[in-house]
Amino acid sequence: VPELPEVETVRRGIAPVLEGATIERAEIADVRLTRPFDPAIVADALVGEQIAAVDRRGKYLLVRLGSGRTLVIHLRMTGSLSHAPTGELPDDAYRRATLGLDTGTEVAYRDVRRFGTWELLEPDDLDPYLGARLGSEPLGTAFTGRSLARAAAGRRAPVKSFLLDQRRIAGLGNIYADEALWRARVNPRRPAGELTANEYARLHRAIRAALRRGVELRGSTLSTYVTPDGSPGGMQDEFHVYGRLGEPCDRCGRPIERIVLGGRGTWFCPHCQPEPA
DNA sequence: AGGTGGACCCGAACGC
DNA sequence: TGCGTTCGGGTCCACC
């Protein structure tokens, strides 16, 4: 499940391969990937482009091209990128796109569930596209406990749902939201607008700590996600609550509970993260 | 306008 | 064994 740490890990792995290279061949084998645009037309437009940089914003990968356009890649649930330096990718029924570079390297996009997207944006379209979808970067300087509290003021949705809103915080997903709430000792059901300033200060620190640890460990590998060199991440071995129904809390030893919030599995420690009295 | 729930996918896990 | 059913998760969209 690629969230900010997983996407950042993919970026760090693939950027050295792509940056400076020119795309000689492009094949997009899935109409869903570029919908509503014709995949053949998008592929043709990529050919001849030199890749200037690979950046990340939230869970989006930004492949910046020499023409000024940007290929915006979202891995969604099961997307991943890999590369074969010799240009000989292994057979893969789930490969959805291939880029052949002038360096001789082939880059493969794999996606089992086909939720991922490739969008080729014109220079003027990128900022409005991202601006409409994403709030501040949680590991950047604009993200503070105070800004978090301000954004949450008056909101009655559960704080967990609030944390998952990409227009507030860019890059937090189901796993790291649960982990951050556990670290901050905040119950996921609490209405977002009812947390105290102190709780938002704790939550701010907890979000950054959880994400930074995830980046350090190169993300978490649950089923299909792997880093671009094919190795698994290490964060899954450090989950405090995610997926740990019934297991003892790392702080107090009492069993972790599972509820559903906003249609999403939510794990927490009812003792460390109590409902308000 | 904020909030919620379904659709999109498909393999894995589960139930009979 | 083998079938059918359920589940999940990021984002968008329809609806309240």
Side-chain angles (χ1 to χ4, degrees):
Chain A
V1 194
E3 303 180 27
L4 186 153
E6 289 75 24
V7 178
E8 178 60 20
T9 301
V10 170
R11 189 195 70 76
R12 291 180 182 185
I14 212 72
V17 174
L18 291 176
E19 287 175 358
T22 296
I23 300 169
E24 284 187 337
R25 287 174 295 104
E27 188 192 347
I28 299 175
D30 182 355
V31 292
R32 276 196 58 90
L33 199 57
T34 56
R35 208 167 60 176
F37 302 104
D38 185 333
I41 292 174
V42 175
D44 283 351
L46 289 173
V47 171
E49 288 273 16
Q50 185 175 27
I51 295 159
V54 181
D55 297 324
R56 178 193 58 75
R57 187 74 173 81
K59 301 173 195 170
Y60 292 90
L61 284 170
L62 309 178
V63 182
R64 300 189 190 270
L65 305 170
S67 64
R69 290 185 287 196
T70 302
L71 176 63
V72 178
I73 298 180
H74 199 301
L75 306 173
R76 285 301 209 282
M77 308 294 306
T78 52
S80 64
L81 287 166
S82 60
H83 65 102
T86 61
E88 289 184 26
L89 292 163
D91 285 345
D92 182 356
Y94 302 116
R95 189 187 310 152
R96 310 298 182 190
T98 310
L99 298 179
L101 307 178
D102 65 341
T103 54
T105 294
E106 279 199 327
V107 172
Y109 175 76
R110 176 179 209 267
D111 192 348
V112 173
R113 292 191 192 167
R114 304 169 64 208
F115 274 19
T117 50
W118 281 26
E119 293 178 86
L120 185 56
L121 298 187
E122 297 299 326
D124 290 345
D125 295 340
L126 181 63
D127 283 350
Y129 181 93
L130 296 175
R133 289 167 173 79
L134 300 178
S136 59
E137 282 292 318
L139 296 180
T141 51
F143 178 63
T144 63
R146 210 166 291 169
S147 72
L148 200 53
R150 203 182 317 119
R155 309 190 122 242
R156 291 164 307 143
V159 61
K160 156 94 183 256
S161 305
F162 169 73
L163 294 183
L164 290 179
D165 184 347
Q166 302 298 297
R167 291 168 302 178
R168 308 294 172 183
I169 312 165
L172 214 56
N174 204 38
I175 293 174
Y176 292 90
D178 280 3
E179 293 297 311
L181 286 163
W182 180 86
R183 284 172 184 253
R185 306 185 192 224
V186 170
N187 186 285
R189 272 194 282 238
R190 299 268 305 283
E194 292 182 9
L195 270 64
T196 65
N198 179 49
E199 285 173 317
Y200 270 114
R202 288 194 337 244
L203 200 45
H204 165 257
R205 291 185 60 83
I207 289 166
R208 289 167 71 99
L211 291 175
R212 270 201 292 256
R213 187 65 179 146
V215 172
E216 249 172 45
L217 293 175
R218 312 182 77 226
S220 38
T221 297
L222 295 179
S223 53
T224 58
Y225 165 81
V226 289
T227 66
D229 66 15
S231 60
M235 187 65 180
Q236 67 281 357
D237 300 326
E238 285 197 12
F239 288 164
H240 296 292
V241 285
Y242 184 85
R244 295 192 55 203
L245 174 65
E247 292 179 39
C249 170
D250 290 335
R251 262 195 312 251
C252 73
R254 277 169 245 220
I256 300 300
E257 276 187 17
R258 181 187 190 275
I259 58 174
V260 174
L261 271 185
R264 253 147 227 113
T266 299
W267 291 265
F268 69 106
C269 171
H271 179 251
C272 294
Q273 300 165 262
E275 302 271 4

